[in-house]
C-alpha cells in the first residue's frame, strides 16, 4: 500500500519574542520540508526580540491567529488581566515595534479554518475570553464549539492532545515525542503543539508539531536551542528577568 500524499504543515504557538527558539524550530521545519507553517498566536510578549520574531512569522507563516499578547500590544485594554511582569514586557515591546508591526498584530483573526482544521490561540467557544484549556472538562466545551474534525490551539504552553471519541467522554493524551498520532477515524481532536518560545511543561526545549494531511497524522516535536542567548537578549532589552530565568527550567 502506498502512503497517501497531501500537504504537511508545521504548527507553531507562543513564540513570545524568543528568536533563538524560533530560528531553531524554523530550521527543523525547513529540514522536514513542510509545505506551510501555521502560527497559533502570541508572537510577542515576554522575550527579547519581538520585532525580529514578528518579521519572521509574517514572512514564513501562511496563517497566524491572534494571541492575547498580540492583542495587548495593539490595544492597552488587552493588558487588563496581565500580571506586572507580563504588562511591563508588553509595554517594552510596544517601544520595540513600529506602527506597521502593531497594525499587523491588530489585524490578526481570532480563528481560521483551513479544510479539516480550525486554528485558534486559546479556544473556540469564546475566543475573546482567552480561556486556558488545561483539562478534559474545559476541552469538552471547546470541542462542542469546533466545526471541523481537528482543532489546534496554544496559550497554555503545554503540549497535549484532547480526543473526543464519538461515543465517550473527552480524554487528555500526553503524546510521546516523535511518535505519530493517527487522526483518521471518527474521533475529533483539539491539539496543542506546546510553546516555541516559553515552554511550561518542565522541558525547556522549543516545542512544535507537524500535521500530515495525506497520512492523517500529527507528530509532536522538540528541539534544543541557545537558551543563554535568548536570556541575554531579555537582559539587554531591559525586560523582566523572571522571563529569562524560567526559560532554563521550562516553566
Ligand atoms: Zn502565550
Amino acid at each position: 500500500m502506498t502512503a497517501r500524499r497531501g500537504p504537511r504543515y508545521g504548527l507553531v504557538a507562543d513564540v513570545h519574542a524568543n528568536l533563538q527558539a524560533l530560528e531553531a524550530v524554523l530550521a527543523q521545519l525547513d529540514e522536514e520540508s513542510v509545505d506551510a507553517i501555521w502560527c497559533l498566536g502570541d508572537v510577542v510578549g515576554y522575550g527579547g526580540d519581538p520585532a525580529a520574531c514578528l518579521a519572521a512569522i509574517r514572512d514564513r507563516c501562511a496563517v497566524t491567529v491572534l494571541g492575547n499578547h498580540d492583542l495587548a500590544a495593539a490595544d492597552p485594554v488587552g493588558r487588563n488581566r496581565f500580571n506586572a511582569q507580563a504588562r511591563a514586557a508588553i509595554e517594552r515591546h510596544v517601544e520595540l515595534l513600529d506602527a506597521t508591526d502593531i497594525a499587523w498584530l491588530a489585524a490578526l483573526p481570532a480563528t481560521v479554518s483551513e479544510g479539516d482544521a480550525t486554528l485558534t490561540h486559546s479556544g473556540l467557544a469564546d475566543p475573546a475570553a482567552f480561556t486556558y484549556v488545561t483539562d478534559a472538562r474545559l476541552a469538552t466545551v471547546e470541542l462542542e464549539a469546533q466545526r471541523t474534525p481537528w482543532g489546534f490551539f496554544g496559550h497554555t504552553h503545554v503540549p497535549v492532545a484532547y480526543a473526543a471519541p464519538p461515543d465517550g467522554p473527552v480524554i487528555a493524551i500526553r503524546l510521546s515525542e516523535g511518535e505519530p498520532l493517527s487522526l483518521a477515524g471518527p474521533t475529533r481532536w483539539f491539539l496543542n503543539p506546546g510553546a516555541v518560545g516559553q515552554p511550561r511543561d518542565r522541558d525547556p526545549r522549543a516545542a512544535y508539531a507537524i500535521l500530515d494531511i495525506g497520512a492523517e497524522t500529527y507528530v509532536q516535536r522538540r528541539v534544543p536551542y541557545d537558551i543563554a542567548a535568548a536570556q541575554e537578549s531579555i537582559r539587554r532589552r531591559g525586560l523582566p528577568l523572571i522571563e529569562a530565568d524560567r526559560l532554563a527550567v521550562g516553566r
Side-chain angles (χ1 to χ4, degrees):
M1 199 178 86
T2 49
R4 280 211 281 149
R5 290 244 185 92
R8 296 164 71 249
Y9 296 99
L11 288 154
V12 300
D14 295 288
V15 171
H16 282 299
N18 185 334
L19 185 61
Q20 289 74 19
L22 178 59
E23 284 180 339
V25 168
L26 291 176
Q28 290 296 305
L29 291 173
D30 287 341
E31 216 161 273
E32 301 219 31
S33 358
V34 294
D35 296 288
I37 305 172
W38 290 343
C39 175
L40 302 168
D42 274 2
V43 179
V44 300
Y46 301 131
D49 293 284
C53 286
L54 191 152
I57 292 291
R58 189 168 47 195
D59 183 43
R60 298 293 310 275
C61 295
V63 177
T64 301
V65 293
L66 179 76
N68 53 316
H69 289 256
D70 307 321
L71 174 66
D75 182 352
V77 171
R79 297 165 209 168
N80 283 349
R81 285 183 292 164
F82 278 21
N83 64 31
Q85 290 84 22
R87 180 187 291 263
I90 209 71
E91 285 169 356
R92 180 78 182 103
H93 280 193
V94 170
E95 296 172 355
L96 296 166
L97 296 167
D98 66 24
T100 309
D101 295 335
I102 298 287
W104 183 80
L105 291 170
L108 292 175
T111 66
V112 171
S113 289
E114 295 268 335
D116 283 340
T118 303
L119 318 182
T120 178
H121 182 60
S122 56
L124 294 162
D126 182 5
F130 293 112
T131 306
Y132 289 89
V133 177
T134 50
D135 61 31
R137 183 183 60 82
L138 292 162
T140 303
V141 177
E142 307 307 334
L143 279 152
E144 279 167 4
Q146 189 174 302
R147 297 286 163 258
T148 57
W150 313 328
F152 299 94
F153 72 109
H155 197 44
T156 64
H157 300 205
V158 175
V160 66
Y162 292 108
D167 51 3
V170 172
I171 55 165
I173 300 168
R174 184 75 189 259
L175 299 178
S176 302
E177 193 182 331
E179 201 172 287
L181 167 74
S182 175
L183 303 180
T187 294
R188 299 162 71 249
W189 296 91
F190 196 48
L191 300 157
N192 188 330
V196 170
Q198 195 195 80
R200 294 181 191 161
D201 61 345
R202 295 169 193 267
D203 181 343
R205 296 175 300 163
Y208 65 103
I210 293 182
L211 170 69
D212 187 323
I213 298 286
E216 292 187 273
T217 58
Y218 173 88
V219 184
Q220 179 68 53
R221 299 242 190 255
R222 302 300 283 249
V223 61
Y225 71 95
D226 190 344
I227 291 173
Q231 292 174 318
E232 178 50 31
S233 179
I234 286 172
R235 282 186 211 108
R236 201 174 51 238
R237 294 258 153 76
L239 287 147
L241 295 180
I242 189 173
E243 310 303 349
D245 295 341
R246 67 194 305 176
L247 295 178
V249 287
R251 57 171 293 189

